[in-house]
Amino acid sequence: MIKAAQRLGFTLEDVAELLEAGRHRHGRPVAVLQEQVAAKLAEVDAKIADLTTIRTALAAAVDAGCDDLTVCASSSCCPIPFTDLAE
């Protein structure tokens, strides 16, 4: 069960919290699992959105034939969002 939870992105600390909550429920439903799963789902959705943005930029760079970052970064038609980078 622990390994399965880790494969879903939960940390050992998360799993320990879930197991502890399950021990103290005394026959009553505990919302901790639903809250943890909803939070993890939101994290996964945010990562997917970030990766989709990255993929789109990379695909545009491939399509544009970019082969030199220095030249590409100084070009107004560069599809890679260098101006959006904080660093």
Side-chain angles (χ1 to χ4, degrees), residues 48-64 66 78-81:
I48 289 171
D50 288 344
L51 289 171
T52 299
T53 299
I54 292 167
R55 187 192 188 292
T56 299
L58 292 173
V62 168
D63 290 345
C66 295
C78 176
I80 301 176

Side-chain angles (χ1 to χ4, degrees), residues 57-62 64 66 68-69 72-73 75 77-85:
L58 292 173
V62 168
C66 295
D68 184 320
L69 287 179
C72 191
S75 170
C77 64
C78 176
I80 301 176
F82 289 106
T83 57
D84 294 345
L85 299 177

